[in-house]
Amino acid sequence: MKFAVTVFPGSNCDHDCEYVIRDVMGQPVEMIWHKETDLKSPDCVVVPGGFSYGDYLRTGAIARFSPVMKSVADFAAKGGLVIGICNGFQILCEAGLLPGVLIRNKSLQFICENVYIKVEQAGTPFTSACQPGQVLKIPIAHGEGNYFIDPEGLKKLKGNGQVVARYCDEKGNVTSEANPNGSLDNIAGVCNPKRNVFGLMPHPDRSGEDALGSHDGQFIWKSIISSMAAAK
Amino acid sequence: MTSSTHSAGSTSSPRASSGQVMDAEVTPQVIKEHGLKPDEYGRICEVLGRKPNITELGLYSVMWSEHCGYKHSRALLKTLPTQGPKVLQGPGENAGIMDIGEGWAVAFKVESHNHPSAIEPYQGAATGVGGILRDIFTMGARPIASLNSLRFGPLTDPTVQRLFAGVVRGIADYGNCMGIPTVAGEVVFDESYTENCLVNAMSVGLVRHEHIIKGRASGAGNPVIYIGATTGRDGIHGATFASTEITDESTEKRSAVQVADPFMEKLLMEATLELIHSGLLVGIQDMGAAGLTCSTCEMASRGGAGIEIDVAKVPQREKGMTPYEILLSESQERMLLVAKPGCEQKVHDVLAKWDLHAATIGFVTDTGRMVVKENGKVVADVPADSLAEAPVYHPAKSEPAILKKHREFDEASVPVPKDPGEILEKLISDPTIASKRWVYRQYDHMVRSNTLVRPGSDAAVLRVKGTPIGLAMTIDGLGSYCALDPYEGAKIVVAEAARNIACSGAEPIGMTDCLNFGSPEKPEVFYCFDRVIAGLGDACRAFQIPITGGNVSLYNENPSGAIDPTPIVGMIGLFADVSAAVTQWFKNDGDFIYLLGNIGDSIGGSRYLQVAHGKKTGRCPKLDLEPEHKLHQVLKAMADARLLQSAHDCSDGGFAVALAECCMTGGTHEAKTLGARVELPGQGRVDARLFGEAQSRVIVSCEAAASAQIEALAGKFGVPCAKIGQVGGGTLVIGGEINVPVTRLADLFFNRIEKLMASPFQNS
Amino acid sequence: MSWHVSVYVTLKPSVLDPQGATVQRALNQMGYQAVQGVRMGKFTELEFDGQLAESDVKKQANEICDKLLANPNIESYRFTVEKK
Amino acid sequence: MSWHVSVYVTLKPSVLDPQGATVQRALNQMGYQAVQGVRMGKFTELEFDGQLAESDVKKQANEICDKLLANPNIESYRFTVEKK
Ligand SMILES: Nc1ncnc2c1ncn2[C@@H]1O[C@H](COP(=O)(O)OP(=O)(O)O)[C@@H](O)[C@H]1O
Ligand SMILES: [Mg+2]
């Protein structure tokens, strides 16, 4: 299964994505510079974390105008799998590929730590290897991960089953104490209505090995790999 | 600083007059305002064979300032040990480099940004991080980790809270945006730093041996290329403050504060590494303190060459800048490079990829002179070497009277507390001892997915992907010991850093240091400076740890006097196989607990004496170098044999605090607690045994099955080793003295700083 | 002479403003009890080539705000144009 | 009725504005060549109790800007007061 990782000026989790996909999951991966438009026919596009354009103005606001994003949008429109992690999630929201927006953490502080998320939808290509309700231990590292959408939008999200993951405690309870950043409804990850575009604030790219404190991120990668295999 | 151990820092600024008027007359007053002494001016005239013009005077004033020229410290720094079989690059370049095997090398260095952070905490700290990162990637190394050492006044003071919040946020924002994990550090709160905070930043990078490059210019005719941010009037050494020509209106428009641009630096880093790794460059140097002046004359001087530049070609942010201003500007995020012949176009291609602008501003010559032109007209022409070689001074020294008083302090006058459990709670909640989670939670300490041991344990541990190799790193300082006994205190700083490395299971291989002191022109300060350097040198020689570079920050003065003499030590440890790494926390119920080293019987200089009795005095703990070295070796041997479940040294707060820390697994959002039941060894004062800070002690835990081997190894290395108890339960029990639920300790420990910082103002 | 465009971007009233809320709490704690609300927004100054017609400047400024300076999901904007 | 104070905080002219420079580059790359300069600032709206005298509002707003909203080392500010 072939992955493409987009690289914007200021991306900094591009290497982590490359490493986990190639060295941990054993899949081929191409790095695509943002000025390019050819994605090199991947099965899945990863928009990685970092600080594209320094996060200046608004997170993801400038990156979405990069030439490569037009190709990513076309790829998604044709049903291709696209996952945005952290800053990648922010970029996909700005680009209109995902609903909602990520605003500043409630504490106004950048937060780097392991959190727990509950898989609310195991039926997406990004979570198919998870049990419904499974709890994953996975780190966050962001200053703007506070998911917001208007009430109308939230209703739609819920109705369509687009809320894929929510922050929870170790046992899977979705509580306000377990919400690290003030996200509406503890939302940690959402997908589009067609379920082929997924955004997630926590980092499956940093949780692929026990040596790093958790291998739970592998569930996300395994899901993608197996659903791509199934589609072929 | 071709010949000194330490390179440019940026704490104190000479007061220079503005270069508004290019042809301003060089009067005695102007010379004085430039911080140059009459005989220094005489030496300049001698070197030039004529009087300098105002621009040339500006060049000498910055290069011969304390922070670039190391006038007062150079002679002493030369006494430090800098050699070793692994040293690939010792002092004199932008960062030291050591071999770590498999063709890899580690580059590292620490630098101060005290003064800018005091004026503008956020930007000051951020630009400090930016500066030290440039020092690393300038050598061809990719930065893999940052560390920081911070000192402020007492945290109960709202002004201190704001300063602390700003500094931490500045460090966080810069490192996070760059995608370089900030993995370790230390924070101390003490009266001594109330008006003069210390912000020391360290960075560590990895480089293949064949990619190491230096800050040297050579090859007459090779182009000198400027890249990065445009040059503005920011940071021109206090010029704006000292100038009489500046009207109110222009002060309003001007700012000496440098604003950090981490995004620009990220581009600069990627582009620079690509240029170096593609073999397009002869040499490269960042523009830090003294900006363009320092980078040009140092590159020329190191390469035994000359350089000619035209300031009109320098990309400028403001209109009407004079050559003086362009040369002295300290605008951030700029680099100067010398391309190989025929590579100029390729250099421009790489830079275009990263949307960076480049300007060829001059070329290398074989004259040994630094020639500056403005639109072809010569505005400065001086021997490059003469700028890089500031005069050397040997200031007077005399022992501060207070040291004798400290030595004579009578410990018997201090009452032994009735409830040691209460004291332990007090110590655990002391902001200097309490968990720094509030700080490192704001730092991305995981990016690049190499961090195996995150902040919270004695040393951070990172892997080197594709190899079994790992690196341990720590940064430590002990101003309060050095204030009591500068020589012994300095030895202990080195020992503490090395012990932190050893506790993590690695071998300490190299060190960098930042020497933060008051004015060297005060004999009492210089006495301490001299003794501290002696202590650092003796400890490094005993442990066979070379010092590959560092930084000196002088003139750190409070209205009430100098800060405590504060040497900060950054240390790197090496794992041949990083799977041997150990953390400080107890792991399993039933594991055995050992104390390596002796319990001690003094409370002199301890945090306990300060926190519980309000006294910052007494005899500084003594450090015997031989047993300490043996301790490091036995720890590594135990880790190599995979015998240890945990290892943690006793430092601030002594035996009891160290035990408590072993019980509270750190990290964020995964705090776990595990109790322990131990006896209290030794005889004599209970408080001295519990909270005294005797050196060379480490608490380790192991599975019962490993205990025979632990004891055998300790015997082999001649390290005292006593089985003192077992891990388990929910309370920490120490002899008949202490019995506290660990959850209570954890609540105090992890939340103390968070609570103090809860005021909304710190975060807006 | 060039065109000077001042753009004001504000959060829509229904959108949470964590920074504004924190600033307000800080001000109240500092003794400014009379402050009953704080909203944080952005203020951007754009310099346009003076050769452009005013109508073009307005058209471009509008586009720039729609596309880049404001996120229509949560923000609204307004701007003023002056020749300076 | 309450007092509505609009505060404009801008970087002093000589201070580097990395955000503004980055936005300008982005706009130029997006085809807006006529944009010759971009400076980013902050726009804060404060709501004051309508009972206060205008002079008090001004006095407090001034203090608030000095203490909290603007960083005097690098920023300047101005504000307007309206009753709404
Ligand atoms: N400013 C900081 N930045 C990052 N980590 C920090 C900082 N201050 C403290 N820490 C981390 O907290 C832990 C405890 O620090 P400290 O008490 O100084 O340890 P030690 O006494 O072992 O040197 C260490 O892991 C250290 O790296
Ligand atoms: Mg320690």
Side-chain angles (χ1 to χ4, degrees):
Chain A
M1 295 305 127
K2 197 167 149 208
F3 285 81
V5 175
T6 57
V7 183
F8 300 92
S11 292
N12 62 37
C13 304
D14 45 338
H15 297 284
D16 293 348
C17 289
E18 181 186 20
Y19 175 78
V20 75
I21 293 168
R22 193 191 54 215
D23 296 295
V24 180
M25 305 308 296
Q27 305 295 319
V29 52
E30 286 277 351
M31 307 304 280
I32 310 290
W33 182 236
H34 74 117
K35 289 177 185 169
E36 291 171 28
T37 49
D38 179 5
L39 297 173
K40 313 231 172 91
S41 29
D43 298 299
C44 174
V45 173
V46 182
V47 187
F51 286 70
S52 56
Y53 293 93
D55 270 1
Y56 294 158
L57 188 62
R58 269 189 329 277
T59 57
I62 301 180
R64 76 140 160 139
F65 292 103
S66 279
V68 76
M69 282 309 292
K70 174 93 180 51
S71 310
V72 172
D74 292 345
F75 178 76
K78 290 193 197 115
L81 296 190
V82 178
I83 175 173
I85 301 166
C86 198
N87 190 229
F89 185 6
Q90 295 162 340
I91 294 171
L92 294 178
C93 287
E94 280 284 342
L97 294 175
L98 286 173
V101 52
L102 294 140
I103 60 175
R104 243 174 121 177
N105 292 351
K106 199 170 159 208
S107 66
L108 303 183
Q109 283 180 345
F110 188 96
I111 304 172
C112 178
E113 66 187 11
N114 275 331
V115 300
Y116 295 94
I117 56 171
K118 183 175 184 179
V119 178
E120 299 285 0
Q121 295 293 330
T124 79
F126 308 94
T127 48
S128 56
C130 305
Q131 299 298 318
Q134 186 174 344
V135 175
L136 305 178
K137 179 178 169 188
I138 191 166
I140 54 167
H142 60 243
E144 278 151 323
N146 186 345
Y147 187 80
F148 180 84
I149 192 165
D150 57 36
E152 202 53 24
L154 181 63
K155 230 163 106 191
K156 263 200 225 152
L157 274 189
K158 286 180 161 171
N160 291 338
Q162 286 173 254
V163 177
V164 179
R166 295 163 83 204
Y167 298 105
C168 64
D169 66 17
E170 201 172 348
K171 301 203 171 65
N173 303 307
V174 178
T175 63
S176 60
E177 293 79 56
N179 184 344
N181 53 25
S183 285
L184 203 63
D185 227 34
N186 282 43
I187 291 175
V190 300
C191 64
N192 64 346
K194 276 169 61 191
R195 298 177 178 243
N196 64 320
V197 180
F198 177 45
L200 184 66
M201 281 318 289
H203 282 273
D205 47 327
R206 298 182 185 187
S207 45
E209 299 156 276
D210 285 330
L212 298 175
S214 170
H215 66 249
D216 286 358
Q218 281 199 15
F219 284 100
I220 306 290
W221 303 114
K222 277 183 191 153
S223 300
I224 296 173
I225 293 163
S226 60
S227 40
M228 289 187 314
K232 280 206 167 172
Chain B
M1 286 65 342
T2 28
S3 60
S4 89
T5 323
H6 291 58
S7 70
S10 49
T11 290
S12 65
S13 318
R15 288 163 62 82
S17 86
S18 158
Q20 298 296 304
V21 186
M22 239 244 28
D23 303 320
E25 216 186 317
V26 177
T27 63
Q29 179 60 24
V30 168
I31 295 166
K32 196 165 155 228
E33 282 175 357
H34 276 73
L36 289 162
K37 304 206 171 81
D39 53 324
E40 289 173 341
Y41 180 70
R43 213 176 119 177
I44 296 170
C45 295
E46 206 177 291
V47 168
L48 296 181
R50 61 179 165 80
K51 289 183 180 163
N53 64 31
I54 185 79
T55 303
E56 291 165 340
L57 191 76
L59 299 182
Y60 281 99
S61 90
V62 288
M63 290 307 296
W64 287 11
S65 69
E66 186 58 43
H67 73 277
C68 284
Y70 289 84
K71 289 188 282 200
H72 293 93
S73 58
R74 196 136 44 110
L76 286 176
L77 293 173
K78 282 199 168 151
T79 66
L80 293 171
T82 60
Q83 305 293 317
K86 291 195 169 73
V87 177
L88 298 177
Q89 175 63 57
E93 279 284 342
N94 291 296
I97 302 186
M98 301 194 67
D99 180 25
I100 57 168
E102 303 214 2
W104 286 104
V106 59
F108 58 100
K109 184 152 177 270
V110 63
E111 195 151 279
S112 68
H113 231 214
N114 303 336
H115 188 59
S117 303
I119 299 175
E120 173 49 48
Y122 177 88
Q123 301 292 351
T127 51
V129 174
I132 193 66
L133 287 171
R134 282 196 297 284
D135 277 339
I136 300 302
F137 66 75
T138 300
M139 303 298 296
R142 176 173 282 282
I144 57 160
S146 292
L147 301 87
N148 58 98
S149 163
L150 314 176
R151 276 166 176 69
F152 305 94
L155 190 58
T156 41
D157 176 348
T159 320
V160 169
Q161 292 175 5
R162 216 164 325 163
L163 205 59
F164 176 47
V167 164
V168 168
R169 183 183 284 277
I171 292 171
D173 281 0
Y174 208 98
N176 296 350
C177 183
M178 289 287 291
I180 295 157
T182 305
V183 298
E186 54 150 12
V187 191
V188 169
F189 303 98
D190 186 290
E191 300 276 358
S192 157
Y193 309 103
T194 299
E195 308 268 335
N196 199 308
C197 65
L198 299 186
V199 175
N200 291 186
M202 170 174 168
S203 186
V204 182
L206 276 184
V207 58
R208 301 289 307 167
H209 287 200
E210 64 272 22
H211 290 153
I212 296 172
I213 189 168
K214 309 208 166 150
R216 286 167 200 222
S218 62
N222 283 338
V224 173
I225 304 173
Y226 169 116
I227 64 172
T230 50
T231 295
R233 288 193 173 97
D234 40 354
I236 298 172
H237 279 281
T240 41
F241 303 125
S243 168
T244 46
E245 292 157 61
I246 293 202
T247 61
D248 278 351
E249 194 201 337
S250 55
T251 328
E252 162 68 13
K253 283 190 191 143
R254 291 267 161 91
S255 165
V257 172
Q258 302 147 40
V259 172
D261 185 355
F263 174 56
M264 171 66 84
E265 177 121 324
K266 166 79 174 160
L267 300 181
L268 210 50
M269 174 175 79
E270 297 298 344
T272 299
L273 291 175
E274 192 170 330
L275 289 170
I276 296 171
H277 297 175
S278 325
L280 301 175
L281 306 183
V282 170
I284 177 164
Q285 163 121 352
D286 70 304
M287 291 185 228
L292 195 51
T293 302
C294 184
S295 50
T296 43
C297 77
E298 284 196 355
M299 280 182 82
S301 166
R302 288 197 196 109
I307 279 189
E308 181 177 322
I309 59 170
D310 192 319
V311 290
K313 295 181 176 150
V314 171
Q316 291 160 46
R317 198 166 74 229
E318 295 178 63
K319 294 205 176 77
M321 289 183 71
T322 64
Y324 180 104
E325 290 173 316
I326 295 168
L327 287 165
L328 268 58
S329 161
E330 291 191 356
S331 290
Q332 298 288 307
E333 289 97 14
R334 303 178 300 161
M335 308 282 279
L336 195 67
L337 42 97
V338 176
K340 283 186 183 161
C343 291
E344 202 176 340
Q345 188 49 46
K346 285 187 194 144
V347 168
H348 284 280
D349 291 346
V350 169
L351 295 170
K353 169 181 166 191
W354 293 99
D355 294 323
L356 286 171
H357 294 292
T360 300
I361 61 167
F363 50 89
V364 179
T365 66
D366 56 9
T367 62
R369 298 189 76 85
M370 169 168 167
V371 178
V372 182
K373 294 182 172 174
E374 184 186 35
N375 291 314
K377 177 170 156 262
V378 175
V379 293
D381 180 353
V382 304
D385 275 342
S386 70
L387 282 174
E389 289 289 336
V392 175
Y393 294 119
H394 302 275
K397 41 195 177 199
S398 81
E399 188 185 289
I402 187 89
L403 296 190
K404 184 155 176 281
K405 278 207 185 131
H406 290 315
R407 286 194 295 267
E408 287 169 357
F409 177 75
D410 178 17
E411 292 191 10
S413 70
V414 178
V416 179
K418 292 209 179 58
D419 183 354
E422 194 183 307
I423 302 285
L424 176 60
E425 292 184 6
K426 215 167 170 178
L427 281 170
I428 281 290
S429 348
D430 174 46
T432 297
I433 292 180
S435 166
K436 305 305 178 298
R437 179 173 72 170
W438 182 87
V439 176
Y440 56 68
R441 208 169 93 119
Q442 297 184 56
Y443 300 154
D444 188 340
H445 46 259
M446 309 174 188
V447 59
R448 301 197 73 80
S449 55
N450 294 319
T451 316
L452 305 186
V453 177
R454 303 187 206 167
S457 193
D458 280 323
V461 176
L462 281 87
R463 65 182 173 188
V464 178
K465 284 192 187 118
T467 77
I469 299 170
L471 294 173
M473 48 197 80
T474 182
I475 187 164
D476 292 283
L478 287 163
S480 62
Y481 286 175
C482 294
L484 305 180
D485 183 339
Y487 174 74
E488 210 60 25
K491 276 163 57 191
I492 295 177
V493 183
V494 177
E496 155 120 23
R499 211 184 298 142
N500 282 332
I501 296 288
C503 282
S504 76
E507 178 195 356
I509 58 164
M511 179 179 133
T512 174
D513 66 296
C514 187
L515 305 172
N516 303 275
F517 284 77
S519 164
E521 292 160 54
K522 292 184 179 169
E524 288 79 13
V525 170
F526 200 73
Y527 170 88
C528 295
F529 188 73
D530 177 70
R531 296 304 293 154
V532 159
I533 289 186
L536 294 176
D538 284 351
C540 285
R541 277 182 287 270
F543 305 152
Q544 287 152 36
I545 301 172
I547 299 177
T548 59
N551 176 244
V552 177
S553 167
L554 300 176
Y555 301 100
N556 290 290
E557 296 273 338
N558 284 311
S560 55
I563 59 161
D564 284 351
T566 311
I568 299 297
V569 159
M571 203 172 284
I572 301 291
L574 179 61
F575 292 94
D577 177 355
V578 74
S579 68
V582 177
T583 60
Q584 72 180 34
W585 305 294
F586 291 147
K587 303 291 182 312
N588 319 299
D589 262 340
D591 281 351
F592 287 176
I593 304 172
Y594 283 89
L595 173 66
L596 305 180
N598 295 314
I599 193 74
D601 56 6
S602 160
I603 56 172
S606 66
R607 196 75 204 160
Y608 155 71
L609 190 53
Q610 239 185 101
V611 172
H613 302 283
K615 294 196 164 70
K616 191 173 159 186
T617 185
R619 249 176 206 280
C620 176
K622 276 262 163 297
L623 180 84
D624 286 333
L625 293 167
E626 254 322 287
E628 175 75 31
H629 194 202
K630 286 270 178 324
L631 179 68
H632 306 162
Q633 291 167 332
V634 81
L635 284 163
K636 178 166 184 297
M638 288 173 177
D640 280 346
R642 307 295 196 276
L643 298 176
L644 299 176
Q645 290 296 322
S646 72
H648 183 35
D649 68 320
C650 302
S651 57
D652 279 10
F655 178 70
V657 165
L659 271 170
E661 287 171 348
C662 294
C663 294
M664 305 181 289
T665 298
T668 36
H669 232 242
E670 47 193 340
K672 263 190 243 129
T673 55
L674 201 50
R677 179 174 289 271
V678 303
E679 61 198 62
L680 177 59
Q683 272 135 36
R685 291 184 71 125
V686 161
D687 55 352
R689 286 185 286 149
L690 285 170
F691 308 119
E693 295 177 6
Q695 293 300 300
S696 311
R697 297 180 300 165
V698 170
I699 292 164
V700 302
S701 71
C702 66
E703 286 174 353
S707 66
Q709 281 167 281
I710 292 273
E711 287 166 23
L713 271 178
K716 184 176 155 204
F717 282 86
V719 171
C721 168
K723 184 153 87 184
I724 54 172
Q726 249 181 314
V727 177
T731 49
L732 172 61
V733 181
I734 307 179
E737 312 298 335
I738 287 175
N739 189 332
V740 214
V742 192
T743 46
R744 167 152 180 85
L745 291 177
D747 180 41
L748 296 170
F749 182 68
F750 285 116
N751 298 324
R752 170 64 171 173
I753 291 184
E754 213 132 335
K755 282 193 182 133
L756 283 169
M757 297 302 289
S759 156
F761 235 150
Q762 318 310 347
N763 301 319
S764 46
Chain C
M1 292 284 275
S2 60
W3 292 104
H4 189 90
V5 179
S6 301
V7 181
Y8 309 87
V9 174
T10 48
L11 279 175
K12 290 182 180 167
S14 65
V15 178
L16 190 76
D17 178 9
Q19 203 184 354
T22 304
V23 169
Q24 185 185 343
R25 244 183 311 140
L27 290 174
N28 292 160
Q29 277 185 19
M30 285 160 72
Y32 298 101
Q33 307 292 350
V35 177
Q36 296 169 336
V38 178
R39 301 286 287 175
M40 306 291 293
K42 273 176 280 192
F43 173 54
T44 308
E45 296 167 289
L46 303 171
E47 219 62 61
F48 277 83
D49 183 344
Q51 313 278 343
L52 251 62
E54 183 165 358
S55 59
D56 282 340
V57 173
K58 285 193 171 152
K59 186 168 152 282
Q60 293 197 14
N62 240 320
E63 286 177 21
I64 287 172
C65 291
D66 279 335
K67 286 194 201 166
L68 189 66
L69 296 185
N71 178 338
N73 284 321
I74 48 169
E75 293 168 329
S76 24
Y77 65 85
R78 66 192 159 81
F79 61 82
T80 60
V81 179
E82 284 170 286
K83 198 140 192 179
K84 272 197 198 166
Chain D
M1 293 284 275
S2 61
W3 293 105
H4 188 91
V5 179
S6 301
V7 181
Y8 309 86
V9 176
T10 49
L11 281 173
K12 291 182 185 175
S14 69
V15 174
L16 180 74
D17 178 9
Q19 285 211 65
T22 304
V23 169
Q24 184 188 342
R25 249 178 297 142
L27 288 173
N28 293 159
Q29 279 177 18
M30 285 162 70
Y32 297 100
Q33 306 293 350
V35 177
Q36 296 171 335
V38 177
R39 300 286 285 178
M40 303 292 297
K42 279 177 285 189
F43 173 54
T44 307
E45 294 168 291
L46 303 170
E47 219 63 60
F48 276 83
D49 184 344
Q51 314 278 343
L52 251 61
E54 182 164 0
S55 60
D56 282 339
V57 174
K58 284 190 174 153
K59 187 170 152 278
Q60 293 196 13
N62 239 320
E63 288 175 18
I64 287 172
C65 290
D66 281 333
K67 287 191 199 165
L68 197 63
L69 296 184
N71 176 345
N73 284 325
I74 51 175
E75 293 168 332
S76 24
Y77 65 86
R78 67 193 159 80
F79 61 82
T80 60
V81 178
E82 284 168 287
K83 198 140 193 180
K84 270 196 198 167

